[in-house]
Amino acid sequence: MTSSQLTPDQSLATAGAGQFVPLGLPADVSIVVVTYNSAAELPGLIESLRAEANDLRLRLIIADNDSVDDTRAMISRHQDLVLIDTRGNLGYAAGINAAVQCVPNEDRAILVLNPDLRVEPGAVRALWERLHREQAGITVPQLLNDDGSFYPSLRREPSLATAVGEALFGSHWARRPQQLAEVVHDPAVYRRAHRIDWATGAALMIRRSLARSLGDWDERFFLYSEEVDYFRRARMVHEAIWFEPAARMRHIGGASGASIQLEALMAVNRIRYIRKYHRAPYAQLFRQMVMLREALRSHRHSNRRILATVSNESSWQQLPGPQASRDPEAVLKDFPPGAIIIPAHNEAAVIARTLESLAPLAAAGAIEVIVACNGCTDRTAQIAGQFESVKVIEASRASKTVALNEGDAAATLWPRLYLDADISITPTAVRMVFQHLSDGPNLAARPAFVYDDGAATWPVRSFYRARRRLPSTTRALWGAGAYALSREGHSRFGSFPDVTGDDLFVDLQFLPEEKGILFTPPVQVITPRDTRSLLNILRRNYRGDAEFANLERDGKMSARGGHNGTKRTVLELVQSMTGPRSLLDALVYASLVSFARRRPSTAGGDTRWERDDSSRN
């Protein structure tokens, strides 16, 4: 009989009075807790869980998101806890994923808990028994406020109807029609065990085999909506989700408020969730209902701020997201191997800024950093050579793709990150990219990015606002000035062909499921400052498109990933328009693209480095 076939009454012997099971020994339940500055709340949770460890073999794994208080010191005083340092404030989903990686396959369930919970006696056992009795995928407990009062934790699937109800009636009026309510308010519902759509993510027990089949929590949801996404994915594979009222937990922070930025992030992530599972027209209407909710309450300052954020999609990139660790030693510890190849053509103005964060990694022997100078006539090579352990090579001719291939020849490690010389990336982001390609199923990946258009003219800012709204920019490897390949991914094409647009070429080699778009601390892509420089970039891009079309026509390249054609881009532009400002941005975008297409570059087949010099001044 395997461990997954055991009944709840056949649990293993406990590890000892109030003791947690260490790694290397089997457990009934691995408990996963994500912390961020949780020193005040965590001791109460640990104490309440020790009482539960008398009834089941429990393992406690804590993933800390770069706390700056005494959280890690407090954890280290408990010898039977497992501490995972995520080496950055990477978000709730990323913390869960880091902890779950340590859960042995032999463990039979995973219990995800917020650090500000207090587990009442018998709660873990009750969830465990319900999980096995119903052959469920997930079970959730009865949550209470700190004073023991009723807390409505159950939810219905978000929809346009529930968004209308939220807009018109708010979150707290319990007597509205059920189809207009996402929150389940009826206290009678909380007195019986039953199947549900989902519940707040403060506490949920997951069958280990289901956690393996579902894979990672979606890290694009830095905070909020990651749990509704996970529950939906479980329902999509026909797994039952059960509420167990006998499992009672007090949520110490359940009634606490949040900052305006976090409330705005909650609203935005609801829209992102709907966009993930619904077509664009439906998602547009849902967003309008979210905006209506805030507009109807705009007499309050907080609602006005949230409305301003939700209505201006370009501001979403300023919302809370992954942040690099502030501890250099923590970043370097157990760094995954890999190589960074930086092709550079006359980059003396920016190369030092790019290498500043990477040189310590190279000096510590964690990674290789190779600057492949490409027809440089300035001091790029001399400046790069001043950084310890950074290898500088001279490409045989002035071509970016030649520089990439010669950088590959000089590198020995995998995976490999190909980084434009004007792009700054944090060590935390490098770690996440290399770790993903070393452990995950993807063959290619890129970090998150944001556009820095602070010094640009209004047409340029308008163009990039429109581009931010295009779904294709969030699914492709191009656009960030950084992409990475595993050894297997690189073998798909062998060497970079002599074409314009290496990032688009790489993107076309992979199916969507083979590419990882990672929610890392973002790299900053500095946009052109003026329209002329932007048009130069667009002309180069369209010359690259023509080259790829010729290669496909001649049978020299096969585009597995597909490429947005003009019709698809126009459709995305139309669907992105939600008001006068987005309409203006779409018109500017279409006008600049059309002008660049009508007046293509006269460079012919020349693939020498073309770039925007205005952003390097």
Side-chain angles (χ1 to χ4, degrees), residues 51 87 112 167 202-203 280 314 359 422 540 550 573 592:
R87 298 176 176 87
V112 178
S314 63
D422 62 331
R540 180 193 66 195
N550 291 336
L573 272 178
L592 290 173

Side-chain angles (χ1 to χ4, degrees), residues 546-559:
E547 292 172 351
F548 295 136
N550 291 336
L551 287 173
E552 285 192 274
R553 182 194 61 201
D554 297 338
K556 297 179 180 179
M557 188 187 82
S558 176

Side-chain angles (χ1 to χ4, degrees), residues 142-156:
Q142 169 86 267
L143 291 185
L144 306 172
N145 292 314
D146 189 22
D147 60 2
S149 60
F150 167 71
Y151 178 78
S153 59
L154 303 185
R155 302 287 187 269
R156 299 181 181 89

Side-chain angles (χ1 to χ4, degrees), residues 70-98:
D70 294 330
T71 298
R72 279 180 284 185
M74 186 275 295
I75 295 170
S76 66
R77 291 194 287 268
H78 296 264
Q79 298 301 313
D80 56 349
L81 305 187
V82 180
L83 173 61
I84 306 298
D85 188 350
T86 65
R87 298 176 176 87
N89 183 10
L90 306 184
Y92 191 62
I96 292 174
N97 292 336

Side-chain angles (χ1 to χ4, degrees), residues 185-201:
H185 286 281
D186 184 0
V189 173
Y190 291 81
R191 299 190 191 110
R192 59 182 176 84
H194 62 284
R195 291 182 65 162
I196 62 170
D197 285 349
W198 68 286
T200 58

Side-chain angles (χ1 to χ4, degrees), residues 131 136-140 204-207 210 214 230-231 234 239-243:
L131 190 76
I138 300 175
T139 52
V140 300
L204 63 152
M205 183 177 285
I206 311 158
R207 195 180 69 245
L210 174 60
L214 290 183
Y230 196 80
F231 280 107
E239 291 284 353
I241 302 163
W242 275 80
F243 167 69

Side-chain angles (χ1 to χ4, degrees), residues 454-467:
T457 59
W458 78 263
V460 174
R461 293 198 302 272
S462 182
F463 175 91
Y464 281 99
R465 281 198 301 269
R467 175 174 279 188

Side-chain angles (χ1 to χ4, degrees), residues 58-218:
L58 304 181
R59 190 190 324 277
L60 182 51
I61 303 173
I62 300 177
D64 185 69
N65 266 333
D66 204 37
S67 294
V68 295
D69 65 356
D70 294 330
T71 298
R72 279 180 284 185
M74 186 275 295
I75 295 170
S76 66
R77 291 194 287 268
H78 296 264
Q79 298 301 313
D80 56 349
L81 305 187
V82 180
L83 173 61
I84 306 298
D85 188 350
T86 65
R87 298 176 176 87
N89 183 10
L90 306 184
Y92 191 62
I96 292 174
N97 292 336
V100 168
Q101 286 181 3
C102 297
V103 176
N105 286 331
E106 294 77 15
D107 291 8
R108 289 173 282 177
I110 297 170
L111 176 59
V112 178
L113 296 178
N114 274 9
D116 56 354
L117 289 174
R118 302 294 180 268
V119 177
E120 294 195 356
V124 177
R125 183 76 184 192
L127 288 175
W128 165 266
E129 290 180 348
R130 180 63 64 182
L131 190 76
H132 285 266
R133 185 181 306 124
E134 306 296 344
Q135 296 296 302
I138 300 175
T139 52
V140 300
Q142 169 86 267
L143 291 185
L144 306 172
N145 292 314
D146 189 22
D147 60 2
S149 60
F150 167 71
Y151 178 78
S153 59
L154 303 185
R155 302 287 187 269
R156 299 181 181 89
E157 174 65 16
S159 66
L160 187 56
T162 62
V164 171
E166 289 282 316
L168 299 180
F169 308 119
S171 304
H172 304 293
W173 188 47
R175 298 182 64 182
R176 79 183 78 177
Q178 288 190 5
Q179 63 269 27
L180 298 181
E182 184 175 322
V183 179
V184 179
H185 286 281
D186 184 0
V189 173
Y190 291 81
R191 299 190 191 110
R192 59 182 176 84
H194 62 284
R195 291 182 65 162
I196 62 170
D197 285 349
W198 68 286
T200 58
L204 63 152
M205 183 177 285
I206 311 158
R207 195 180 69 245
R208 182 69 179 99
S209 59
L210 174 60
R212 282 196 300 269
S213 64
L214 290 183
D216 285 349
W217 290 53
D218 192 338

